[in-house]
Amino acid sequence: RYRVSGRCRLSLRALAALVLLQVALGVITLLLAVPAHLGILHLTVAAVLFMLLVLINFELRNHAPETV
């Protein structure tokens, strides 16, 4: 186990929430035969998810890990 900053911890929690939202949007979009507004929302969440992954990668690479 490693100790991470509060900002990184918040980002990881947001990542988990966005992944669940993305999966739910994907399922709902397919069940409703791909309405345009849900498809656009699904792609927007995917872009935000990617940006959050880049931020988490930056946070974890530029800080030395502290063991707990």
Side-chain angles (χ1 to χ4, degrees):
R1 292 183 52 138
Y2 295 101
R3 186 179 311 241
V4 294
S5 68
R7 184 168 137 180
C8 189
R9 189 175 304 114
L10 179 64
S11 297
L12 290 169
R13 288 183 181 147
L15 175 69
L18 277 176
V19 166
L20 291 176
L21 176 64
Q22 181 72 351
V23 169
L25 277 174
V27 170
I28 292 169
T29 300
L30 289 177
L31 288 176
L32 296 177
V34 193
H37 63 283
L38 281 179
I40 292 170
L41 183 61
H42 183 66
L43 289 174
T44 303
V45 171
V48 172
L49 192 58
F50 178 74
M51 288 186 282
L52 185 60
L53 284 169
V54 170
L55 173 71
I56 291 171
N57 186 33
F58 176 79
E59 285 288 322
L60 292 176
R61 290 181 123 214
N62 291 329
H63 294 88
E66 301 174 18
T67 57
V68 174

